[in-house]
Amino acid sequence: MLRTNQPFSDYFDKLYSKKSHKENITLTSYGKGDKILIQNESSTKIMLIRTGITKCYFVEENDKEYIVEFLGKGEIIGEIEVIKNISCLCTIEAMTEVTVYSMPIPYFRTLLKNELKLNRFLLDVFAERMVNTSSRASYQKLRATEHTLTQLLELKSKEMEISKEDMAAYLGITVKSLNKTLDKIKENNVDE
């Protein structure tokens, strides 16, 4: 539910600390609610989350928001759009105070050509996303919404504040359905 990537974060920490990269890799901060990338707009930078939590979502044609993932430390954003030369697929919004490593696209392309380690990290990220997407799709079809919501509530109590609207958007249901499911969970807990 909350994606992090400590090895990728460590790699960027080392990259940032090298003098040869100082002018090309900067730290940028975002406040809670700030949009870091916006769906269907062009981006001029690639970013890696250094601290904080974001939500990655897209808005469908009917204006409904669907949260794909919650992203934390070590997650890279904007790379698919650069590799495919397309506008942003999703919006990335800060759910907490967020700090990112930021680099211009031409510099990222240079690193792609010269840094084998970066390419290995990206392959691992892409593979992990494919596994997570297929697992989540089958999981949500096979398990009741109550089960996924229970896991989301556990994450909320431990790592982040998440609104009912965001929970519903992550589960792909309406807030009304979410409230019914929350009531059902409460009833089950009282009965036990």
Side-chain angles (χ1 to χ4, degrees):
M1 289 188 178
L2 174 61
R3 299 278 157 233
T4 60
N5 188 331
Q6 187 62 50
F8 211 176
S9 182
D10 294 343
Y11 168 75
F12 259 80
D13 287 340
K14 289 177 186 169
L15 205 59
Y16 178 72
S17 67
K18 291 181 181 177
K19 288 185 180 186
S20 59
H21 299 289
K22 283 287 186 190
E23 71 243 15
N24 291 304
I25 302 174
T26 59
L27 284 175
T28 307
S29 296
Y30 295 91
K32 182 178 179 178
D34 287 349
K35 290 185 173 41
I36 301 169
L37 294 177
I38 300 173
Q39 182 178 340
N40 296 324
E41 291 188 8
S42 295
S43 176
T44 59
K45 297 181 188 238
I46 300 299
M47 292 168 260
L48 185 111
I49 300 170
R50 184 171 182 241
T51 62
I53 298 172
T54 66
K55 63 179 177 177
C56 172
Y57 66 94
F58 61 89
V59 178
E60 296 186 11
E61 292 169 3
N62 62 2
D63 289 331
K64 291 207 177 202
E65 186 179 294
Y66 179 74
I67 296 176
V68 179
E69 287 292 352
F70 298 103
L71 305 172
K73 183 178 186 172
E75 289 296 314
I76 191 165
I77 53 179
E79 78 293 346
I80 292 173
E81 291 81 354
V82 169
I83 292 168
K84 295 293 291 173
N85 198 27
I86 57 175
S87 57
C88 295
L89 294 169
C90 296
T91 296
I92 307 291
E93 182 179 322
M95 294 185 70
T96 64
E97 297 292 318
V98 172
T99 304
V100 299
Y101 289 114
S102 181
M103 71 176 71
I105 290 170
Y107 187 67
F108 177 73
R109 286 191 171 124
T110 299
L111 287 177
L112 279 177
K113 289 179 184 175
N114 300 319
E115 289 276 334
L116 183 59
K117 198 167 188 175
L118 174 64
N119 285 283
R120 286 184 184 146
F121 277 117
L122 287 173
L123 283 173
D124 185 55
V125 165
F126 296 149
E128 184 72 20
R129 286 180 187 166
M130 287 174 55
V131 168
N132 291 336
T133 300
S134 60
S135 295
R136 181 174 171 200
S138 65
Y139 185 86
Q140 286 184 331
K141 284 188 178 213
L142 295 173
R143 302 210 187 246
T145 302
E146 294 90 12
H147 185 71
T148 306
L149 180 56
T150 301
Q151 289 184 319
L152 197 54
L153 291 170
E154 286 175 23
L155 179 65
K156 177 183 176 180
S157 69
K158 292 177 186 173
E159 299 191 43
M160 66 182 176
E161 186 59 36
I162 181 169
S163 68
K164 281 188 176 182
E165 291 78 13
D166 283 347
M167 282 191 255
Y170 183 78
L171 295 168
I173 61 176
T174 64
V175 174
K176 185 176 180 179
S177 294
L178 174 70
N179 286 329
K180 287 180 183 179
T181 306
L182 285 168
D183 289 342
K184 192 173 182 180
I185 290 171
K186 286 178 189 173
E187 286 174 20
N188 290 340
N189 288 339
V190 170
D191 292 342
E192 291 177 356

